[in-house]
Amino acid sequence: MQSGIESSIQLLETTCVMVVLAYLLTRTSLSRLLVDRRTIKGSLILIAIFSIFSLYGAYKNIPINGGFISTRSLGSLAAGLLAGPWVGLGASVVGAVHRFSLGGFTVVSGTLYALLAGLAGGLFYRWKKGCRVTAAEAAAVTAAYEIFAAAMTLVLAPEFEKALQLVSRGFFAMTAIKCIGVSLFIFIINNFRDEQATRELKEKMDSELQVARDIQMSIVPKLFPPFPNSNEFDLYAFLEPAKAVGGDFYDFFFIDDEHLCVVVGDVSGKGVPASLFMAVALTLIRARGAEETSPSDLLSGVNNELCRGNDASMFATVFCGILHLPTGRMVYANGGHNIPYLYRQEEGLVETLTPVKGIALGVMEDMVYDCQETTLAAGDVLIMYTDGINEAMNTRYEQFGNDRLQQAILDAPVHSVQAVAAAILDSVRNHTAGAEQSDDITLMTVYYKGSQAAGGDKAR
């Protein structure tokens, strides 16, 4: 016969083992059944799992005055509270059979106690209409069931005095330990369910964002060279969002047989809102680009459209240039965007285009966008970009900067626009090595070959 303290310590040890096993269960492939148990096979597996808990608690029973105390009901109670009456009752059977095999003057009450524990938990689960049982509720149900079990022992045991001694000696310690054990058990499983729900939500969001990224990337042209029959120029563009989706964009299209329109833009913010605004802005630019021959008029029209109903107060910086292919003359307007660079191959120098006044699109209606012009000579390369390049930061929070960008352009081979873009991007990545990409990166390079290279039909 053990003392009350020794019995309590053994009950506590058994409970701790079961709680640890419950945690380990959530780290196995069987943990999925704790979330989705709709199949008969899944319910049977849960019954088997919780039967093992019940059997372990029964195996660690403590004999007291011809009776027994144990934590056999912990597993079956938890089964009922987590999965309903049928799983709870099924998990109780093993513990009840084991208790019956032990005999003793409390065999009837002890067997019923072991058998009905899971059913009691399951009925509370049903009363909650399948809603999650909290750890505090589990402790309250356990305490109530232990009181019922103690009363049942006193009523059904043939030797009342011995039953009273058994109950008085083991009731409080066993009840307290079981309440703690069941509440911890439920807490662990509920925490796992929260983790699983969060994980599934994240996976769903990641999947949806990947679809959104694919859609966004399909909006901007990605086939290069884009106009293989146009010999006056070569063009390459690159876009890499900082998140799954972003707000940078670019586009290029023929207005007529001699005029090529190039556009690079950057929407305020990042993520899904920016990508939606980007899609709207790009759609408007394409629609108006087919009608407008002036970059100033194009930006003014798109700006007015973006301002209407812009409750989110988003905006986009946009550079728009229209290149006359026979002469190399380019007229351009700028809506608050980074001024492009022009590499003059003959002089071997890099210069910025002359700045031109204009605010971001979507800020205020009826804005006027001034125009400037420049002339590209044969061999010149126009480099348009977003601030994800010149403001790219390394691990010391140092920006890539305009000086490094100009040097990267000077160092780049000019035999192809793709090589120029690759050299610039490599320089940016070398600078930011080890740092997380902080902004969308977009780059467009246009290599003007000159009118003497003309020949062949242009494809729109």
Side-chain angles (χ1 to χ4, degrees), residues 134-449:
T134 67
E137 290 171 336
V141 171
T142 302
Y145 186 72
E146 290 301 314
I147 294 173
F148 165 76
M152 185 170 57
T153 299
L154 294 175
V155 171
L156 297 180
E159 301 178 52
F160 180 79
E161 293 297 330
K162 289 180 65 176
L164 181 61
Q165 186 179 5
L166 174 65
V167 169
S168 62
R169 185 171 177 182
F171 173 76
F172 293 104
M174 186 168 64
T175 300
I177 291 171
K178 282 187 179 179
C179 286
I180 295 172
V182 172
S183 61
L184 286 174
F185 204 115
I186 298 298
F187 174 80
I188 289 171
I189 302 301
N190 284 345
N191 187 61
F192 163 75
R193 287 174 169 175
D194 289 338
E195 290 179 359
Q196 188 68 17
T198 302
R199 188 180 302 114
E200 290 177 353
L201 179 61
K202 183 179 182 301
E203 290 173 355
K204 181 180 179 181
M205 291 178 64
D206 288 344
S207 176
E208 291 176 350
L209 284 173
Q210 183 58 49
V211 173
R213 181 189 180 95
D214 293 342
I215 293 173
Q216 181 187 25
M217 296 306 292
S218 69
I219 294 176
V220 297
K222 297 186 297 299
L223 182 63
F224 299 101
F227 310 112
N229 294 327
S230 296
N231 299 321
E232 300 98 333
F233 71 97
D234 195 6
L235 184 151
Y236 177 76
F238 173 87
L239 191 160
E240 184 175 19
K243 296 185 177 181
V245 291
D248 278 12
F249 61 90
Y250 64 82
D251 202 6
F252 44 83
F253 48 86
F254 277 105
I255 295 175
D256 55 40
D257 289 342
E258 295 185 344
H259 290 88
L260 174 73
C261 181
V262 290
V263 177
V264 172
D266 183 3
V267 174
S268 59
K270 301 178 183 67
V272 175
S275 69
L276 293 174
F277 198 81
M278 162 264 186
V280 172
L282 190 54
T283 301
L284 291 172
I285 288 171
R286 288 176 177 173
R288 286 200 166 264
E291 304 171 356
E292 303 288 357
T293 57
S294 165
S296 173
D297 293 340
L298 193 157
L299 294 189
S300 295
V302 173
N303 172 65
N304 288 338
E305 293 289 342
L306 290 176
C307 286
R308 297 189 182 104
N310 185 12
D311 296 333
S313 299
M314 300 190 73
F315 60 87
T317 63
V318 180
F319 174 85
C320 175
I322 296 178
L323 177 63
H324 185 231
L325 297 177
T327 63
R329 175 177 174 266
M330 186 177 75
V331 181
Y332 59 91
N334 191 32
H337 198 73
N338 299 315
I339 290 295
Y341 284 100
L342 185 59
Y343 176 69
R344 300 288 190 181
Q345 185 174 183
E346 186 173 340
E347 293 86 355
L349 58 85
V350 175
E351 62 184 34
T352 59
L353 299 184
T354 303
V356 56
K357 186 176 69 174
I359 68 170
L361 280 62
V363 176
M364 187 180 302
E365 288 189 74
D366 300 324
M367 296 304 299
V368 175
Y369 293 86
D370 294 339
C371 283
Q372 274 285 1
E373 65 176 72
T374 189
T375 300
L376 277 64
D380 288 351
V381 181
L382 179 68
I383 299 99
M384 294 161 282
Y385 62 98
T386 61
D387 56 14
I389 288 186
N390 62 317
E391 295 181 6
M393 289 188 292
N394 59 19
T395 54
R396 297 186 298 275
Y397 301 100
E398 297 171 340
Q399 291 188 350
F400 184 66
N402 294 326
D403 291 341
R404 288 190 180 91
L405 177 54
Q406 291 184 56
Q407 189 60 49
I409 295 171
L410 284 170
D411 294 341
V414 293
H415 60 273
S416 76
V417 286
Q418 193 161 351
V420 174
I424 295 171
L425 293 170
D426 285 345
S427 183
V428 172
R429 287 166 179 156
N430 290 335
H431 173 76
T432 60
E436 184 179 358
Q437 183 179 337
S438 58
D439 200 357
D440 304 336
I441 291 177
T442 300
L443 179 68
M444 184 190 294
T445 52
V446 179
Y447 178 68
Y448 181 65
K449 299 178 182 179

